[in-house]
Amino acid sequence: EMQLVESGGGLVQPGGSLRLSCAASGFTLDDFAMHWVRQAPGKGLEWVSGISWNSANKIYADSVKGRFTISRDNAKNSVFLQMSSLSAEDTALYYCSKDIYVSPGRGMDVWGRGTTVTVSS
Amino acid sequence: QAVVTQEPSLTVSPGGTVTLTCASSAGAVTSGHYPNWFQQKPGQAPRALIYTTSNKHSWTPARFSGSLLGGKAALTLSGVLPEDEAEYYCMLFSGGVQVFGGGTKLTVL
């Protein structure tokens, strides 16, 4: 069974940093692109970032460009999201999702349950 | 980045048919936008339904279908069941990034 498990969320002060992790199992991670998607409380889905199978292509939403960095370690079956200069607007449930292709763009199929990030003083 | 627009809410009777649409501020939606559709129920993670316009995942019920309709992506539910009540999100690949629509709250009444 394909599975994604996010971790690393928590409470962080404005201006702070946090690193999210996504552990993949049940499939070969380096066959697929991966994404991070977030959902603020009571709001809709917002795509955050995507990374190709070999890390050659990384894409970001305008709202996080320059502050967030996506990365992956295929040998450890993991994907990461390094977040910095956090503000209250970044408060959300962060989902990890698997693309159906080697490069971002064609869509996602498998989703994790998410990890919660709260930015507050 | 383009803005993707969906109907905020729709209501359908059990057994009925309903079509949800997904429009882009950048122009007509085409297969090159790789339209995807997701279902989300309260307290749950999104579940993928349709990818690249009209392709179903192995778990997608047959009553769900995707298409392009009048310059928009469309999700049609035929023979709606009470369990189909949920929020539905479309997603497009536009300008080199993924963009979600605001979601359609589907009520089965």
Side-chain angles (χ1 to χ4, degrees), chain B residues 4-84:
Chain B
V4 177
T5 302
Q6 301 180 241
E7 297 87 0
S9 63
L10 290 170
T11 300
V12 61
S13 300
T17 298
V18 64
T19 297
L20 290 63
T21 67
C22 175
S24 171
S25 64
V29 176
T30 70
S31 58
H33 291 101
Y34 305 121
N36 276 244
W37 291 92
F38 304 91
Q39 178 193 65
Q40 188 179 35
K41 296 182 178 179
Q44 296 184 15
R47 181 174 77 138
L49 293 174
I50 300 289
Y51 63 97
T52 57
T53 305
S54 58
N55 294 285
K56 299 179 186 181
H57 295 283
S58 59
W59 54 82
T60 304
R63 62 185 181 276
F64 291 88
S65 63
S67 64
L68 294 176
L69 201 62
K72 300 178 183 181
L75 175 70
T76 299
L77 287 73
S78 305
V80 171
L81 301 177
E83 67 208 51
D84 296 332

